[in-house]
Amino acid sequence: METHEINDRFLKFFEGQGHTRVPSASLILDDPNLLFVNAGMVQFKPYFLGEVPPPYPRATSIQKCVRTGDIDEVGKTTRHNTFFQMAGNFSFGDYFKEGAIERAWELITSSTSDGGFGLDPARLWATVYEDDSESAGLWRKITGLPTERIQYRGADDNYWDMGVPGPGGPCSEIYYDRGPEYGREGGPVVDEDRYLEIWNLVFMQEIRGEVSPKKGGPVLGELPTKNIDTGMGIERVAYLLQGVENVYETDLVRPVIARAEEFSGHRYGSNHVDDVRFRVVADHARSGVMLIGDGVTPGNDGRGYVLRRLLRRIVRSMRLLGVHEPVLPEFAKVVRDAMGPSYPELVSGFDRIEDIVRIEEEAFLSTLTSGSRIFDLAAEETKKAGGGILAGDKAFQLHDTYGFPIDLTLEMASEQGLSVDEDGFRTLMEEQRQRAKADAASRKSGHGDLSVYRQLLEQGGETQFLGYTDLQATAKVVGLLSGGVPVRSAKQGEKVELVLDRTPFYAESGGQVADTGVLLGSGVELKVHDVQKIVPGLFVHRVEVTEGEVGIDTELTGSVDQHRRMAIERSHSATHLVHAAVRGAYGKRAAQAGSLNSPGRMRFDFTTGGAVSADILTSVEEEVNDYLQTDVEVTSYVTTKDKALELGAVALFGEKYGNDVRVVDMGDYSRELCGGTHVRRIGQLGLVKLVADSSIGSGVHRVEALVGTDALRHVRKEQLLVSQLASTFKVPTDELPGRINDVLGRLRTAEKEIEQLRTQQVLGSAGSLAEKAQDVNGIALVAEKLGEGVDANGVRALATEIRGRLGARPGVVALFAPAGDKVSFVVATTAAARDKGLAAGKLVPSFAAVVGGRGGGKPDMAQGGGTEPAGVEQAIVALRDALAAT
């Protein structure tokens, strides 16, 4: 039975049981606790947590999932995968244990002709939580399973929660006995290779506290409504029904391995080492394509780093299989063909996927070439020093400077019989990460305990947002928090979080920054500094009490900073227009990959299939400004997502949309799903001026623009600068470029002449320096610290000249040139010295550490640099000692 049929049978069965079919959510839902969606229940969390009422009592889905904790184990065994599909049926206060067990058993044991999976009941086992005798009784009653095939397990195995305070409960699992050839008798508690888990049924019935019952924590009470969350592993059921050994041999994965076999000429199943590489390729190709399909692009942190790591492990594995040409686009095509029937967005968006993997592979192949050389030098130095551990700072340099992922460094080190100081590497990484993110933590709630916000939502309901039409409104305070703790009031000078029953203030989302303004009441005034949606539907205002005292039920009138809001709206509307123009220039593959809409300035990131032409960006700017002159009305309306897409509305990758969506139209030019605020007519933008563009990652480009009066000020500033330059050069403005080029040309000529004079001056000292050569163990040594101002070219030229003046003698020349807080050096050897076994490159390590640097080169000449010029004298002594010891 093909995997697509397994999916279809599962969904049809539960639809026939009154469940609403819900499409898979994106792998990158907006959940601060998750990097990727890793379970079928994730998109239903708001219903389980009581944040919003469920729109249906029963649901079923096939959810795409990615788990990244075991990336390093993928391929080494057949059990670890990063991407998988989880089939689930869910009940929100409807049926409970009995209904869940009945339905699961019926589907997996019914004959294929009756729409089931036809698994033999005699080979099925069940596990239950150690305190859940009720479930054990239901398994016996409903299925007829004998007592010995129902096993009790502890909390680590059979208690479920979300990892944070909230819902929890016992779970029950279904296992399939693969037979004695796969392991020992005795059920799942004895051998989970022979007894394969295929389905987990979670009975969500309790509330847990700060400490999970898995760790001995108490159950705080019963949930007001009991829920069902189940998950059936599609890939596991597939390899049972397809009669193969593991997921890598199923119909959706084996084609990738087959393509890798064609590329490499190796055969899967020939030896374990190659099999590991084939499995890495197959697993990561699926995961990579699915992640890109949901809007992830390769980067250096977060989701982007995980994707980059997956793609680079594929390339690395293929090189170890002997393949050096590009492979990722071909593997992407195989994944598209295999997964497309279930996920048609992979087909419609394939051009973008192919572009991203191609660009990433090209970049990594270049990285492999340069980084491998650096790694080989570091590994050689480590071995020569008698060490077996590559230093953490070396691994960090490979990562930070050359883009080498740490797992690749670990693999290459292992191949050379070395380990890596991972603790040192991760310390340096954490220091860098903390520096980069020092200013971000204070604004968001991140992974904190959100229960207090959920409680406010339950008590007061969702905040009514009035800001689409009103910038001023009267509201009532329904919640106050100080330091995350509920309080009854706050006095002048205090900074607190405030929740209103209704608000005109926009909460930061969709790339649009939050509103600011004031809240006024009887004898009380508050400044609104920020607004965030900590949990869906709840607007949390971060305020400072500037006068009086505010308390629960206080009535306040909120006034949004109108001037600032209008500037933000101009930026947001400009982003839509730039998006439309970019799509017109580059096609659908130019998908939005991020944006920031702040007062008077917008930032827009988009995916590309290659270099972005400056001419096209100029055309984009002209096209947008031409369209502004039409002054069309900006309209918005709410419709179903399917209807919006039929109308041609653009949906953004990674965004979570409900059944009803808000569409923003700017004539026929731009139509997008958007929850932000916008101008009333596009003529209000005035002017859109692109001021910066850059590449921010593989296949992702960023443009920045100023809008409205900010754009006008920028243009005026540029005009003034041009006028000043024209006055300085005493030419009309239209002749300015030619005049500047002429001056620059003459300047470059003068610099070359000065450089030649400096070189001649430096070379003039070659004779006197050669005469100062000291005899060290039969070697003529010239080791000198040069004055400031001699560049690297001059140092090399001088060393070559001195070496020539040493004639037929065995000689070594070492010159050090300080420049501020750095020092460069060159070592040169004569032919007679090389005959004695003295190689310039091998002499460098004898002194490089003293000047805080390193270097290398050929036997006749080597060079390098350091960061401690004060160590030059000591370095000369070290070199002399090294020659004396030869």
Side-chain angles (χ1 to χ4, degrees):
M1 187 181 296
E2 292 187 349
T3 303
H4 299 306
E5 184 180 348
I6 295 171
N7 292 355
D8 192 51
R9 282 176 179 249
F10 186 94
L11 293 171
K12 284 183 176 177
F13 174 82
F14 281 102
E15 279 187 303
Q17 297 277 335
H19 293 65
T20 298
R21 182 188 292 212
V22 180
S24 172
S26 166
L27 285 166
I28 50 173
L29 285 184
D30 185 17
D31 188 319
N33 297 300
L34 292 176
L35 195 63
F36 302 112
V37 168
N38 61 1
M41 58 77 63
V42 171
Q43 69 167 314
F44 302 110
K45 278 176 64 175
Y47 311 146
F48 289 131
L49 292 170
E51 294 174 353
V52 294
Y56 27 66
R58 304 177 181 184
T60 184
S61 69
I62 307 291
Q63 175 64 48
K64 48 193 174 183
C65 304
V66 167
R67 293 181 183 172
T68 59
D70 293 326
I71 285 180
D72 294 328
E73 298 304 313
V74 170
K76 296 177 183 177
T77 74
T78 58
R79 295 183 60 185
H80 293 89
N81 300 107
T82 52
F83 174 83
F84 59 95
Q85 299 173 91
M86 187 63 73
N89 58 288
F90 308 91
S91 167
F92 311 107
D94 191 13
Y95 63 84
F96 197 48
K97 291 182 181 180
E98 185 169 2
I101 293 172
E102 285 176 345
R103 290 173 172 84
W105 189 260
E106 180 181 349
L107 176 58
I108 61 176
T109 61
S110 294
S111 68
T112 55
S113 60
D114 289 334
F117 295 134
L119 295 182
D120 182 359
R123 304 185 75 165
L124 296 176
W125 292 60
T127 62
V128 296
Y129 181 47
E130 57 190 0
D131 294 335
D132 190 11
S133 58
E134 177 190 8
S135 292
L138 288 171
W139 280 109
R140 287 190 295 268
K141 168 189 168 185
I142 295 167
T143 70
L145 276 175
T147 300
E148 62 271 18
R149 296 217 319 263
I150 303 171
Q151 296 185 321
Y152 290 86
R153 307 189 82 167
D156 279 347
D157 294 302
N158 279 61
Y159 190 91
W160 176 93
D161 58 42
M162 294 184 186
V164 294
C171 61
S172 191
E173 298 159 326
I174 303 174
Y175 286 79
Y176 182 84
D177 182 1
R178 303 171 70 197
E181 63 271 30
Y182 292 96
R184 297 171 294 163
E185 298 272 358
V189 297
V190 173
D191 191 331
E192 288 200 355
D193 283 325
R194 170 175 172 173
Y195 300 91
L196 182 73
E197 180 191 344
I198 60 172
W199 203 321
N200 186 17
L201 298 85
V202 175
F203 307 132
M204 209 179 297
Q205 62 189 49
E206 301 165 347
I207 301 173
R208 58 148 280 196
E210 289 293 334
V211 180
S212 169
K214 288 175 174 286
K215 306 297 182 183
V219 172
L220 303 183
E222 294 288 314
L223 284 171
T225 58
K226 297 179 179 180
N227 307 310
I228 288 293
D229 158 29
T230 79
M232 186 189 84
I234 290 293
E235 281 75 11
R236 292 190 176 188
V237 172
Y239 72 76
L240 291 179
L241 296 181
Q242 292 173 18
V244 296
E245 292 295 309
N246 54 67
V247 65
Y248 292 99
E249 298 176 17
T250 59
D251 60 322
L252 298 189
V253 185
R254 187 63 174 84
V256 181
I257 293 178
R259 190 70 181 94
E261 289 176 317
E262 293 174 12
F263 272 122
S264 66
H266 294 236
R267 288 293 169 262
Y268 183 63
S270 299
N271 62 79
H272 178 69
V273 174
D274 281 356
D275 285 356
V276 170
R277 294 163 183 163
F278 279 122
R279 289 195 285 263
V280 167
V281 170
D283 174 86
H284 291 3
R286 279 217 309 171
S287 299
V289 169
M290 300 304 292
L291 287 172
I292 296 170
D294 277 352
V296 183
T297 54
N300 289 327
D301 56 19
R303 295 170 177 135
Y305 177 71
V306 172
L307 173 59
R308 172 161 286 166
R309 185 179 177 192
L310 292 171
L311 297 179
R312 292 186 170 190
R313 278 171 61 89
I314 297 172
V315 177
R316 170 72 174 157
S317 296
M318 290 303 293
R319 286 175 73 91
L320 293 174
L321 287 168
V323 180
H324 292 267
E325 64 264 29
V327 295
L328 291 184
E330 289 302 312
F331 288 141
K333 291 175 184 175
V334 176
V335 175
R336 173 200 63 192
D337 294 343
M339 304 296 292
S342 290
Y343 303 100
E345 65 270 18
L346 298 181
V347 178
S348 60
F350 185 72
D351 286 346
R352 185 183 60 87
I353 295 170
E354 185 177 33
D355 287 340
I356 288 174
V357 298
R358 175 179 53 79
I359 293 169
E360 179 65 16
E361 184 166 24
E362 289 171 354
F364 184 50
L365 289 175
S366 175
T367 293
L368 273 177
T369 301
S370 57
S372 293
R373 287 196 295 264
I374 302 302
F375 172 83
D376 290 341
L377 285 172
E380 183 180 357
E381 289 177 9
T382 302
K383 290 180 178 179
K384 280 186 177 179
I389 303 175
L390 190 73
D393 61 342
K394 298 289 187 184
F396 178 74
Q397 181 192 25
L398 282 166
H399 174 276
D400 196 47
T401 306
Y402 299 97
F404 248 44
I406 182 60
D407 63 302
L408 181 55
T409 302
L410 290 169
E411 288 180 12
M412 294 175 68
S414 177
E415 290 165 7
Q416 299 228 19
L418 298 172
S419 59
V420 178
D421 176 13
E422 291 187 68
D423 289 340
F425 167 80
R426 298 193 190 286
T427 297
L428 291 170
M429 283 292 293
E430 183 60 27
E431 290 174 359
Q432 183 189 64
R433 190 175 292 112
Q434 291 303 323
R435 287 193 299 270
K437 297 185 176 181
D439 63 338
S442 63
R443 297 192 67 225
K444 310 296 178 187
S445 292
H447 298 262
D449 180 6
L450 306 182
S451 58
V452 65
Y453 299 101
R454 296 191 190 106
Q455 192 173 30
L456 284 173
L457 186 65
E458 291 171 1
Q459 293 172 349
E462 293 190 9
T463 309
Q464 183 184 1
F465 178 59
L466 307 172
Y468 289 132
T469 55
D470 301 317
L471 295 184
Q472 187 177 83
T474 300
K476 183 175 68 175
V477 177
V478 295
L480 277 172
L481 299 172
S482 177
V485 177
V487 294
R488 293 295 303 174
S489 63
K491 297 180 180 179
Q492 182 174 340
E494 292 186 66
K495 294 181 179 180
V496 293
E497 293 181 322
L498 177 146
V499 178
L500 302 167
D501 60 347
R502 57 209 298 260
T503 183
F505 292 92
Y506 185 83
E508 180 179 349
S509 61
Q512 180 173 330
V513 299
D515 284 332
T516 60
V518 295
L519 289 163
L520 301 175
S522 178
V524 60
E525 179 177 329
L526 303 94
K527 281 188 177 179
V528 179
H529 296 294
D530 187 23
V531 188
Q532 296 291 326
K533 291 181 185 177
I534 306 299
V535 294
L538 191 74
F539 286 54
V540 179
H541 304 70
R542 288 170 179 164
V543 304
E544 179 182 359
V545 184
T546 55
E547 182 181 324
E549 181 176 357
V550 64
I552 300 296
D553 293 332
T554 298
E555 191 172 90
L556 299 171
T557 298
S559 297
V560 175
D561 182 332
Q562 183 174 349
H563 181 76
R564 183 174 180 276
R565 162 71 88 82
M566 290 174 66
I568 294 170
E569 290 179 342
R570 288 193 292 268
S571 295
H572 199 160
S573 298
T575 298
H576 282 222
L577 295 176
V578 170
H579 187 189
V582 166
R583 283 171 65 90
Y586 288 102
K588 292 182 179 179
R589 66 183 62 187
Q592 182 170 331
S595 66
L596 177 64
N597 305 300
S598 53
R601 190 179 189 100
M602 55 148 285
R603 188 181 75 206
F604 176 69
D605 303 338
F606 60 96
T607 57
T608 65
V612 174
S613 164
D615 291 340
I616 290 184
L617 289 179
T618 299
S619 297
V620 164
E621 181 182 83
E622 291 178 356
E623 182 178 312
V624 169
N625 283 293
D626 284 344
Y627 190 64
L628 295 185
Q629 298 178 49
T630 65
D631 194 29
V632 300
E633 184 181 5
V634 178
T635 59
S636 64
Y637 50 92
V638 176
T639 185
T640 65
K641 180 183 176 183
D642 290 342
K643 180 63 175 175
L645 297 179
E646 286 177 16
L647 292 171
V650 176
L652 304 185
F653 285 108
E655 289 290 324
K656 181 181 179 182
Y657 299 105
N659 291 328
D660 292 330
V661 295
R662 183 171 180 262
V663 182
V664 175
D665 282 355
M666 299 181 185
D668 294 327
Y669 187 73
S670 170
R671 177 171 291 134
E672 289 192 26
L673 306 189
C674 180
T677 65
H678 290 272
V679 297
R680 302 298 178 265
R681 307 189 71 88
I682 65 169
Q684 293 175 255
L685 272 62
L687 176 68
V688 177
K689 177 63 180 173
L690 297 186
V691 294
D693 71 277
S694 60
S695 173
I696 61 170
S698 294
V700 182
H701 202 81
R702 170 173 291 172
V703 294
E704 298 179 61
L706 297 174
V707 187
T709 53
D710 293 86
L712 182 60
R713 291 191 194 101
H714 176 81
V715 171
R716 285 175 175 168
K717 185 177 179 181
E718 285 192 332
Q719 285 179 328
L720 178 61
L721 177 61
V722 170
S723 297
Q724 290 173 338
L725 286 171
S727 175
T728 300
F729 285 102
K730 295 182 172 57
V731 294
T733 56
D734 58 344
E735 296 179 14
L736 189 59
R739 177 65 171 154
I740 291 175
N741 285 334
D742 178 58
V743 171
L744 288 176
R746 283 187 284 156
L747 180 60
R748 283 191 288 267
T749 300
E751 287 175 342
K752 287 180 181 178
E753 291 173 353
I754 293 170
E755 181 62 29
Q756 289 172 356
L757 289 172
R758 283 178 177 168
T759 300
Q760 291 172 8
Q761 186 179 24
V762 167
L763 293 179
S765 64
S768 60
L769 290 174
E771 291 175 0
K772 293 170 61 177
Q774 298 177 325
D775 185 276
V776 180
N777 199 17
I779 304 297
L781 172 64
V782 177
E784 291 290 333
K785 177 181 179 181
L786 305 178
E788 294 271 354
V790 184
D791 65 8
N793 291 330
V795 178
R796 282 195 301 272
L798 180 57
T800 302
E801 183 70 18
I802 294 173
R803 179 176 62 185
R805 292 175 182 265
L806 293 178
R809 288 182 289 171
V812 174
V813 180
L815 303 179
F816 298 83
D821 58 355
K822 296 183 180 180
V823 59
S824 60
F825 55 79
V826 172
V827 179
T829 57
T830 64
R834 294 193 293 277
D835 290 341
K836 285 178 167 285
L838 293 175
K842 293 184 178 180
L843 289 172
V844 170
S846 67
F847 65 80
V850 181
V851 292
R854 62 178 188 169
K858 298 179 180 179
D860 63 327
M861 182 171 285
Q863 64 188 50
T867 57
E868 298 179 21
V872 169
E873 301 296 342
Q874 188 179 348
I876 292 173
V877 172
L879 175 59
R880 187 182 297 119
D881 291 345
L883 291 175
T886 57

